[in-house]
Amino acid sequence: MKAMVLIRPGAPLEAVDLPLPVPGPTEIVIRVSACGVCRTDLHVVDGELPSPKPRVVPGHEIVGRVTALGSAATRFRIGDRVGVPWLGWACGSCEFCHRGQENLCDSARFTGYQLDGGYAEYARADERFCVPIPERYGDIEATPLLCAGLIGYRTLRLAGDAPRLGLYGFGASAHIVIQIAHHRGQEVAVFTRPGDSDAQAFARRLGAAWVGGSDETPPAPLDAAIIFAPVGDLVPAALRTVRKGGSVICAGIHMSDIPRFPYALLWPERSIRAIANLTRQDAEAFMAVAARVPIRIETHAVPLDQANEALARLRDGRLTGAAVLVPSPVPDGVG
């Protein structure tokens, strides 16, 4: 099969021919229909996440059809459409797994990082960590649901029912979160890179009540703010925009260092929280929401062999919505 492989962190991916994967007892093999390009992939490729699997195939927003079953695999049948998310395996026996916090399992392994992912024609995954995809979404548009959507949903739950919600960064996750927040009746303010007119116009199209640069202040204090951009400087900036007793949630798996800030920002019972990975329960809950709420997902289909260009566009902030790799030729009219 064709695959894009990370030979050395910090270097471009290389196109490689690999043997077809063979499933272990609880694993399935899927023919990849589409795989989203996520900022976490960028952190893996750029060497910002330590110790990836040697010669790893990135990609953890995978949608495809089952082509082979392991000897003990019973959840899916040949031909079923499934999604493969970031959390690829957890031990099931540690204190975190027993408490329903498998996202914190010390032995957890992650798709496209410690396990080969979906920048390939085929992928192997433990069926216990895969999830069915709601029928209303096509293969390409469904891929961002598997990380941007899942992480966004987990973060939104942590933000609670904040009447006024702020989103810092407006990419794949935020453009899904704003639609769920509107469905819940929340008012949303969006902060982008200063002067990023494309992202700001995109946010307005999706109904943001206020849009501005990350150096600006909205007209009224927020009840909670979610930071999707991996920029530590945004933490004190967000604290300044939330009311007393409000919360700031950091949604990225990687963030630059948070600068020093005066304790007076935190003292009025403002809180800072972080989101670490996701759980299978998150996936099931979010896919149920996605089946009910008609989420409009903006995607840009890219051939698999152009993965480096898709990553460069994400790195440089030249994407609105999500880039999606497709192993076969991009369908006419899609992109």
Side-chain angles (χ1 to χ4, degrees), residues 12 21 24 30 44 59 61 74-75 110 188 191 238 268 272 274 277 299 308:
I30 70 169
V44 172
E61 297 180 334
T74 58
R75 284 191 65 204
F110 302 100
V188 180
F191 302 80
I272 303 172
N277 310 311
T299 58
N308 287 312

Side-chain angles (χ1 to χ4, degrees), residues 110-130:
F110 302 100
T111 311
Y113 180 31
Q114 286 115 357
L115 305 168
D116 283 331
Y119 286 21
E121 293 179 317
Y122 289 83
R124 179 176 60 190
D126 190 314
E127 69 161 8
R128 296 170 296 180
F129 293 83
C130 297

Side-chain angles (χ1 to χ4, degrees), residues 111-193:
T111 311
Y113 180 31
Q114 286 115 357
L115 305 168
D116 283 331
Y119 286 21
E121 293 179 317
Y122 289 83
R124 179 176 60 190
D126 190 314
E127 69 161 8
R128 296 170 296 180
F129 293 83
C130 297
V131 61
I133 304 293
E135 289 299 323
R136 74 187 312 154
Y137 303 99
D139 293 345
I140 290 173
E141 66 176 335
T143 59
L145 298 176
L146 290 156
C147 186
L150 283 173
I151 291 296
Y153 180 67
R154 184 176 177 86
T155 310
L156 188 60
R157 288 171 64 186
L158 200 59
D161 58 356
R164 290 188 300 275
L165 177 69
L167 305 178
Y168 282 80
F170 201 73
S173 275
H175 96 285
I176 293 173
V177 165
I178 191 173
Q179 296 176 70
I180 300 173
H182 281 163
H183 185 76
R184 292 165 47 165
Q186 294 168 285
E187 181 180 291
V188 180
V190 170
F191 302 80
T192 71
R193 295 181 184 183

Side-chain angles (χ1 to χ4, degrees), residues 51-287:
S51 306
K53 171 185 175 291
R55 298 176 64 89
V56 70
V57 178
H60 58 275
E61 297 180 334
I62 310 167
V63 174
R65 300 275 175 179
V66 178
T67 61
L69 301 171
S71 59
T74 58
R75 284 191 65 204
F76 301 104
R77 296 179 298 179
I78 299 296
D80 283 354
R81 186 172 75 148
V82 300
V84 184
W86 170 244
L87 181 64
W89 186 87
C91 74
S93 58
C94 69
E95 60 175 318
F96 295 110
C97 287
H98 280 307
R99 289 203 299 250
Q101 295 175 299
E102 62 187 9
N103 58 310
L104 302 179
C105 174
D106 289 331
S107 301
R109 287 182 281 172
F110 302 100
T111 311
Y113 180 31
Q114 286 115 357
L115 305 168
D116 283 331
Y119 286 21
E121 293 179 317
Y122 289 83
R124 179 176 60 190
D126 190 314
E127 69 161 8
R128 296 170 296 180
F129 293 83
C130 297
V131 61
I133 304 293
E135 289 299 323
R136 74 187 312 154
Y137 303 99
D139 293 345
I140 290 173
E141 66 176 335
T143 59
L145 298 176
L146 290 156
C147 186
L150 283 173
I151 291 296
Y153 180 67
R154 184 176 177 86
T155 310
L156 188 60
R157 288 171 64 186
L158 200 59
D161 58 356
R164 290 188 300 275
L165 177 69
L167 305 178
Y168 282 80
F170 201 73
S173 275
H175 96 285
I176 293 173
V177 165
I178 191 173
Q179 296 176 70
I180 300 173
H182 281 163
H183 185 76
R184 292 165 47 165
Q186 294 168 285
E187 181 180 291
V188 180
V190 170
F191 302 80
T192 71
R193 295 181 184 183
D196 190 342
S197 57
D198 289 343
Q200 292 182 5
F202 185 32
R204 290 189 184 97
R205 288 202 306 273
L206 290 179
W210 178 89
V211 178
S214 57
D215 56 348
E216 297 182 57
T217 302
L222 305 171
D223 298 288
I226 299 172
I227 301 177
F228 291 109
V231 181
D233 286 346
L234 293 176
V235 173
L239 284 170
R240 291 185 177 95
T241 67
V242 300
R243 62 167 175 78
K244 297 177 182 180
S247 58
V248 172
I249 301 102
C250 303
I253 193 171
H254 171 82
M255 179 179 270
S256 60
D257 289 346
I258 299 171
R260 294 176 63 181
F261 58 85
Y263 178 63
L265 277 181
L266 201 59
W267 179 78
E269 297 193 356
R270 296 185 180 100
S271 63
I272 303 172
R273 295 285 303 272
I275 290 296
N277 310 311
L278 51 94
T279 67
R280 284 173 283 180
Q281 185 178 15
D282 293 327
E284 293 170 5
F286 173 64
M287 290 302 172

